[in-house]
Amino acid sequence: MEATDSKTSEKLKIVDILSMVADDLDAVQGVIEEIQIDAKGAHADRLLAASRALKDVASDVEDAHERAESLR
């Protein structure tokens, strides 16, 4: 029974961590978008690329979070 409780506890930790990562990625995304408004030229292009990459990572984290939630 302890092994089951330990596994459940680990699953809950993973779900919580993925949720925190998703929140942090959203915050970073918001900051990049704010800075991008004032950026010009190559800097704006790099910020756009970073923003798109973060969206992809955030999507992957959200998918992992949903999968982890289903394991509860």
Side-chain angles (χ1 to χ4, degrees):
M1 178 114 174
E2 273 185 46
T4 302
D5 290 342
S6 177
K7 284 184 179 184
T8 300
S9 177
E10 285 300 311
K11 288 177 186 177
L12 292 173
K13 286 179 189 176
I14 291 169
V15 169
D16 290 343
I17 290 168
L18 287 170
S19 180
M20 288 187 295
V21 169
D23 291 344
D24 291 346
L25 286 171
D26 286 341
V28 170
Q29 180 76 24
V31 170
I32 288 175
E33 288 174 359
E34 287 177 25
I35 295 169
Q36 188 177 5
I37 291 169
D38 296 329
K40 304 273 189 250
H43 293 298
D45 293 341
R46 282 184 245 152
L47 285 170
L48 180 61
S51 178
R52 288 180 178 156
L54 277 175
K55 283 181 184 177
D56 290 342
V57 171
S59 178
D60 291 344
V61 168
E62 185 60 34
D63 290 346
H65 183 249
E66 287 174 11
R67 280 188 228 130
E69 279 279 339
S70 72
L71 296 174
R72 280 185 163 189

